[in-house]
Each structure stands twice: as structure tokens, then as C-alpha cells.
Amino acid sequence: MVINWYPGHMAKARRLIEENIKIIDVVIELLDARIPLSSSNPMISKMIGQKPSVLVLNKADLADTAVLEKWIAYYRQQGRIVIAL
């Protein structure tokens, strides 16, 4: 018996992103401002490649302000456009 741990809805989403990324001008990546690294999907950065992107840190009002500022600085050092909402 072979057990596939990769849920079907995730495989479908990945396939749709890969198919449609060619016609997209800008990618908006939405992350939780409280846990930006944990809430990101590492496959997204590989799929978007060199496409322009905006990183939106959602729920910024619930995040620790000092920590959030460090995350914003971290992502900006990587050349990312970051918006905290």
C-alpha cells in the first residue's frame, strides 16, 4: 500500500499556479505578520521566479510592533516590497 501524504487540493493549487503564472504581471504574497516565516510556502518563491512581487504582512495590528519592524527590515534587505496591514 502506497500512502500519499500530499493532499489533492494542494497538488491542484500548485498545478493551477504553475499554469497561470505566465499570464500574471505581479504576485501578491499574503503572510501572517505574527509568523511570516512559518506562514510562507517555500514553493511559492520557486514558482514565481523573477516575477515582480509584493509581500503583504496581514494582521499587523496583532503582531508585536518591534518584531514586525525587524521582519520588514529583513524582507526589504532581500529586495522585497513589503506592506504591513
Side-chain angles (χ1 to χ4, degrees), residues 46-62:
K46 293 176 186 173
M47 286 189 277
I48 66 174
Q50 296 300 314
K51 288 264 183 193
S53 65
V54 176
L55 185 60
V56 177
L57 298 174
N58 193 27
K59 300 183 181 182
D61 57 326
L62 302 176

Side-chain angles (χ1 to χ4, degrees), residues 1 5-6 10-11 18 22 35 38-39 41-43 45 53 55 62 68 71-72 75 81:
M1 173 195 270
W5 64 270
Y6 199 68
M10 290 175 64
E18 289 172 342
K22 301 168 193 135
I35 52 168
S38 299
S39 62
N41 184 333
M43 291 188 305
S45 61
S53 65
L55 185 60
L62 302 176
L68 179 59
W71 278 114
I72 291 170
Y75 286 117
I81 298 171

Side-chain angles (χ1 to χ4, degrees), residues 4-19:
N4 186 357
W5 64 270
Y6 199 68
H9 69 283
M10 290 175 64
K12 181 180 179 182
R14 180 180 180 165
R15 186 176 62 253
L16 287 171
I17 291 169
E18 289 172 342
E19 289 173 3

